[in-house]
């Protein structure tokens, strides 16, 4: 059985410090470190789609900050 969130088993972030993915506000250098890890994560698309569907309000998900996800959602046509 394939669970809907089985992509999490292939996520890179649990292998590093999870706090990296919740950088302090106004600290682009810290956010960039998390985004660099996401860039090498094979489940980035699944992660981002889930974050958008769940309206994740905090943290870096799928390589995007909360502000970037809000912008993407606003511009993305409803499916
Ligand atoms: S894309 Fe980033 S936040 Fe999402 S699972 Fe991969 S490493 Fe974690």
């Amino acid at each position: 059985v394939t669970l809907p969130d089985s992509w999490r088993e292939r996520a890179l972030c649990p292998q590093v410090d999870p706090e990296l993915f919740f950088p302090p506000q106004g600290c682009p250098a810290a956010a960039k470190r998390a985004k660099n890890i996401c860039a090498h994560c094979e489940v980035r698309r699944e992660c981002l789609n889930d974050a958008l569907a769940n309206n994740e309000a905090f943290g870096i998900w799928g390589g995007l900050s909360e502000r970037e996800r809000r912008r993407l959602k606003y511009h993305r046509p409803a499916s």
Side-chain angles (χ1 to χ4, degrees):
V1 178
T2 306
L3 297 173
D5 64 348
S6 62
W7 60 264
R8 289 172 196 273
E9 290 164 19
R10 290 180 287 138
L12 268 186
C13 44
Q15 300 172 39
V16 298
D17 182 359
E19 293 213 350
L20 264 184
F21 293 82
F22 295 91
Q25 286 285 331
C27 187
K32 197 162 193 312
R33 289 177 65 198
K35 290 176 179 181
N36 282 341
I37 295 167
C38 295
H40 294 100
C41 179
E42 62 174 291
V43 292
R44 194 168 84 89
R45 181 179 293 266
E46 291 89 338
C47 173
L48 178 59
N49 282 340
D50 262 26
L52 291 172
N54 296 331
N55 287 317
E56 293 287 359
F58 301 102
I60 306 287
W61 293 86
L64 298 186
S65 67
E66 51 266 41
R67 185 189 294 179
E68 290 164 337
R69 289 195 305 276
R70 269 202 307 276
R71 202 179 298 148
L72 177 67
K73 201 160 182 168
Y74 182 78
H75 290 291
R76 203 151 97 159
S79 52

